[in-house]
Amino acid sequence: MDLTDQPTALLPGDVRMPLLGFGTWQATGQAGYDAVLAALDTGYRHLDTATVYGNEREVGRAVRESGLRREDLFITTKLPPDRVGRERATLEASLEALGVEYVDLWLIHWPPSSPGDSIPLWRELLAARDENLARAVGVSNYSTAEIDELIQSTEENPAVNQIRWSPSLYDRQRHAEHRDRGVVLEGYSPFKTSDLSDPVLTRIAAAHGVSPAQVVLRWHIDHEIVVIPKSVTPERITANFDVFHFSLTAEEMRDIDALGEV
């Protein structure tokens, strides 16, 4: 499946972000390289890494050895919030490690511990975007109030906010707050915070002939929420990508949403 065949979210600047990505947290060394190469071979075209993951070099090597064209991939990395004043050097180190001239998305990994640093950090991300070092910029682990502070100070919305998300964490209001601000919601740890033995998930999985984990991923996609499952197991990497042959009904979506509203 090519990038153009996968469902995407539209970011500012006409940047298309695949709704299903491959998370690389804790995937380091040879195992990390093998996992990323397996993901690319499977069909993933969206890779999520970060400076603090310590695996950008392995991700970059897998990208090069996959034989895929750079323009057919979507690569995210993240800036540690303690790099105030060293933003450009950090991004340049990421680009060098990844072996690319730009990333598709650069995020502030967490809100900085000193609130006064938030706006200067955000302005540096915007500058990197304007210089084409990142096609889009955003944040991670930000509250709605923290996002509003950035928008009010710069009149620039983060393209994305990456946060923990799953059916059990579903928050209709938070979802709407992102949508209302034009900020794409990207969820991480979709399985860690899910009870995959929940009767609702197992019933819906059985109805579609898939696993509860695949239902969780499809639920994100049908909500147009980006999701980045991670695994270093080839079978699971493949299974997590095999979610494009079915979709959930409106009733099934409501039943899964309700898992976060109890």
Side-chain angles (χ1 to χ4, degrees), residues 30-106:
Q30 185 66 33
Y33 161 79
D34 290 342
V36 174
L37 195 57
L40 293 172
D41 286 345
T42 297
Y44 293 86
R45 295 295 178 262
H46 168 188
L47 302 174
D48 181 272
T49 184
T51 295
V52 298
Y53 294 175
N55 63 7
E56 289 172 317
R57 207 161 292 282
E58 288 87 349
V59 171
R61 184 160 68 95
V63 165
R64 285 191 302 280
E65 297 188 13
S66 72
L68 294 165
R69 300 184 308 167
R70 172 66 185 92
E71 56 267 33
D72 292 333
L73 295 172
F74 188 100
I75 301 173
T76 299
T77 195
K78 310 181 197 76
L79 172 78
D82 60 1
R83 301 295 176 95
V84 178
R86 294 177 289 153
E87 300 90 349
R88 177 58 61 89
T90 303
L91 178 56
E92 288 174 352
S94 289
L95 296 176
E96 190 274 328
L98 288 162
V100 297
E101 295 182 355
Y102 64 91
V103 290
D104 298 279
L105 181 63
W106 193 29

Side-chain angles (χ1 to χ4, degrees), residues 164-169 188-196 220:
R164 280 165 70 97
W165 198 259
S166 70
S168 62
L169 297 177
Y188 68 83
S189 297
F191 306 137
K192 197 171 185 180
T193 54
S194 292
D195 176 7
L196 296 178
H220 284 77

Side-chain angles (χ1 to χ4, degrees), residues 145-221:
E146 288 164 334
I147 289 172
D148 284 344
E149 181 190 8
L150 301 184
I151 296 171
Q152 288 158 10
S153 297
T154 65
E155 297 185 352
E156 291 266 18
N157 299 24
V160 171
N161 185 26
Q162 186 184 115
I163 57 177
R164 280 165 70 97
W165 198 259
S166 70
S168 62
L169 297 177
Y170 184 66
D171 182 332
R172 189 180 305 277
Q173 180 178 341
R174 189 129 196 245
H175 188 193
E177 287 168 351
H178 283 78
R179 198 166 47 237
D180 292 347
R181 288 158 178 77
V183 178
V184 169
L185 178 56
E186 178 178 13
Y188 68 83
S189 297
F191 306 137
K192 197 171 185 180
T193 54
S194 292
D195 176 7
L196 296 178
S197 64
D198 185 280
V200 171
L201 296 179
T202 56
R203 168 176 58 80
I204 294 171
H208 292 278
V210 298
S211 70
Q214 289 170 315
V215 168
V216 168
L217 296 177
R218 188 70 221 191
W219 171 81
H220 284 77
I221 291 167

